[in-house]
Amino acid sequence: MGELLRSDLRSLQSKHIRLIRGKGLLNAIVIHHPDKDAAWKLCLSLKENGLLAKPTHGDKIRLAPPLIINDEQVRESVRIIGKSLLELD
């Protein structure tokens, strides 16, 4: 599921994603944006759209879905992330 999550996140091709990294289901997105609070604002947007994530170290967002997550839930999570990233434009 971690590989699926990372590959689907990469397919978003967002200008606001500098790097996607992780191992298993513990993943991080490094945000590239002139606003130093962009990761925090993105996490608030994610919450409003139904997904919880934790900003960390200023420009990173930590993703740690439950180990029982399935394909459909991973894809829905990535859809929410993609929608929320558009709000940073």
Side-chain angles (χ1 to χ4, degrees), residues 44-87:
L44 292 176
S45 178
L46 289 170
K47 184 183 98 173
E48 292 300 316
N49 290 316
L51 185 69
L52 295 177
K54 182 181 184 331
T56 183
H57 302 292
D59 65 344
K60 295 165 193 70
I61 296 176
R62 193 178 297 163
L63 302 169
L67 297 177
I68 59 170
I69 195 168
N70 62 37
D71 292 17
E72 182 181 324
Q73 292 165 328
V74 168
R75 291 200 167 93
E76 176 65 12
S77 298
V78 172
R79 187 193 65 72
I80 291 170
I81 293 168
K83 176 183 174 184
S84 299
L85 281 165
L86 293 175
E87 295 177 23

Side-chain angles (χ1 to χ4, degrees), residues 13-39:
Q13 297 288 318
S14 173
K15 66 182 180 183
H16 300 301
I17 296 178
R18 176 176 287 155
L19 176 68
I20 297 163
R21 63 182 185 212
K23 185 171 185 173
L25 281 171
L26 185 57
N27 293 277
I29 301 171
V30 180
I31 301 299
H32 176 70
H33 197 276
D35 181 354
K36 66 180 182 88
D37 294 324

Side-chain angles (χ1 to χ4, degrees), residues 1-10 22 24-25 27 74:
M1 289 298 110
E3 284 294 325
L4 176 64
L5 177 59
R6 287 185 294 281
S7 78
D8 283 4
L9 285 171
R10 286 185 192 101
L25 281 171
N27 293 277
V74 168

